[in-house]
Amino acid sequence: MPAKIIDGKKIAEKILEKAKKDVKALKEKGTTPKLVVIQVGDDPASSIYVQKKRDKCLELGMASEIKKFGEKITYTEFLFEIEKLNKDDSVHGILIQLPLPEHLSHKQVFETIDVCKDVDGLHPANHGKNLLGKECFRPATPIGIMKILHETGVKLEGKNAVVIGRSNIVGKPIAIMLLNAGCTVTICHSKTTNLKEHTLKADILISAAGKPKLVKESMVKKGAIVIDVGTTKMKNGKLCGDVDFEKVRKKASWITPVPGGVGPMTIASVVENTVKACREITNA
Ligand code: NAD
């Protein structure tokens, strides 16, 4: 039997419905949750992602703004802009869209965000708390993945989980969250030799490499849950995941599509985190 397809859009809608009610309640108390999304440069994919986040917030009755800076903004100027947002009482969530230009990406920009407004969970303090399994802001995409896994109803404890990718925004935090959920976790990356040897052991396989169709049917254990985080824009304008969907589907038990799997969950988690930040900052 082919894998059941996990409808990320449907799960996200449930989360957003609840968020809408929470926003309404906060507004009745006199506070409107606000998310500021920072974009540096003109990367077309980033422009789409930041607009989607802002538009979803506005649709739910929240406030949201995109702060767009030129590629040439200096490190000092960038930090100054973040500090302004930290001090702005009307702002509850600050999210820096990745990738950043190299002169900023190698600096400690995430340390500058007020930890209480770090709704994408990239401040080192939030990474540390995630590691320790403590209450904190966690990165939006891994939160979305954990919710997707929860929806399958499959018990995570004792499962072999293999994560492809070791970025700070997806690979590392999801590996930690799976570990804290009782999985035995393997992290693979671009320097891993014989990827297939690892992926074949996965009861849960998460791919976040950004390499179209990297995960072939022959690399997947029968009955595995396969979560495809990868999104690569192809020449025909369509998004392609890391997983060879049609073929892997025949072997897996559950699988996420691209688009319509992890993507909508990421946006929903950003919204949820911003509402949470607003509630905590304002004590509402
Ligand atoms: P990244 O480039 O920072 O990290 C990619 C990781 O994949 C690296 O750790 C690298 O070592 C590993 N990798 C690359 N090629 C590999 C290979 N052949 N074998 C094994 N490992 C390999 O990217 P990221 O920010 O973590 O994002 C990963 C992908 O997920 C991208 O396609 C991105 O667009 C997508 N993404 C989607 C969402 C969403 O909401 N759907 C959110 C974040 C990222």
Side-chain angles (χ1 to χ4, degrees):
M1 209 170 58
K4 287 182 220 130
I5 297 173
I6 305 169
D7 187 344
K9 234 171 142 183
K10 207 162 143 193
I11 309 170
E13 267 162 25
K14 270 197 279 176
I15 296 169
L16 293 172
E17 242 170 64
K18 157 97 175 45
K20 194 171 179 178
K21 285 186 195 146
D22 291 346
V23 170
K24 190 165 172 266
L26 281 164
K27 285 171 95 167
E28 279 164 8
K29 287 184 187 169
T31 315
T32 303
K34 179 171 180 178
L35 172 72
V36 173
V37 186
I38 298 174
Q39 183 185 0
V40 183
D42 267 323
D43 175 54
S46 291
S47 298
I48 294 170
Y49 296 142
V50 298
Q51 281 161 24
K52 276 192 176 173
K53 285 168 192 152
R54 179 201 53 197
D55 293 352
K56 188 51 78 183
C57 287
L58 296 177
E59 193 187 312
L60 298 171
M62 297 164 66
S64 187
E65 206 183 308
I66 298 170
K67 289 245 176 238
K68 201 165 173 177
F69 303 110
E71 289 263 356
K72 297 245 153 49
I73 187 167
T74 65
Y75 179 53
T76 314
E77 284 165 347
F78 192 61
L79 295 195
F80 179 72
E81 294 294 339
I82 295 176
E83 285 297 357
K84 273 205 292 196
L85 296 171
N86 285 343
K87 287 185 194 131
D88 184 341
D89 289 339
S90 73
V91 176
H92 309 101
I94 303 169
L95 184 148
I96 301 175
Q97 183 67 41
L98 296 176
L100 282 173
E102 224 174 289
H103 70 284
L104 297 178
S105 67
H106 290 155
K107 299 269 172 72
Q108 311 302 330
V109 291
F110 294 102
E111 285 183 28
T112 315
I113 299 179
D114 180 341
V115 75
C116 303
K117 298 187 179 185
D118 176 35
V119 291
D120 213 9
L122 293 176
H123 190 291
N126 280 322
H127 272 304
K129 284 186 180 172
N130 185 34
L131 185 69
L132 299 173
K134 293 198 169 178
E135 174 60 28
C136 64
F137 286 114
R138 294 182 163 80
T141 303
I143 296 178
I145 297 169
M146 292 305 281
K147 288 197 170 153
I148 282 176
L149 291 174
H150 181 75
E151 284 288 317
T152 66
V154 173
K155 198 172 137 225
L156 300 184
E157 223 173 83
K159 297 285 187 299
N160 285 334
V162 175
V163 177
I164 308 178
R166 57 171 165 176
S167 69
N168 291 336
I169 192 162
V170 189
K172 283 183 202 162
I174 187 62
I176 295 299
M177 286 156 85
L178 289 164
L179 178 68
N180 287 338
C183 293
T184 302
V185 182
T186 304
I187 308 175
C188 300
H189 46 81
S190 54
K191 303 284 188 281
T192 300
T193 52
N194 203 349
L195 184 61
K196 183 176 166 180
E197 191 185 303
H198 299 285
T199 58
L200 274 174
K201 291 186 188 142
D203 302 310
I204 298 165
L205 178 60
I206 317 273
S207 188
K211 296 281 177 277
K213 300 197 178 179
L214 169 73
V215 178
K216 314 272 183 243
E217 188 186 358
S218 61
M219 296 165 69
V220 177
K221 180 176 167 181
K222 197 166 177 353
I225 301 176
V226 180
I227 309 288
D228 191 351
V229 185
T231 49
T232 306
K233 199 160 189 189
M234 306 304 275
K235 277 191 187 141
N236 62 8
K238 288 194 175 164
L239 280 187
C240 185
D242 284 357
V243 176
D244 191 352
F245 182 84
E246 286 307 333
K247 292 199 176 127
V248 170
R249 205 191 148 192
K250 291 180 198 152
K251 222 166 165 189
S253 58
W254 294 88
I255 192 165
T256 58
V258 174
V262 174
M265 294 298 291
T266 298
I267 298 182
S269 303
V270 169
V271 166
E272 218 180 15
N273 272 354
T274 306
V275 171
K276 177 178 168 225
C278 175
R279 210 183 283 123
E280 287 175 3
I281 291 168
T282 61
N283 278 322

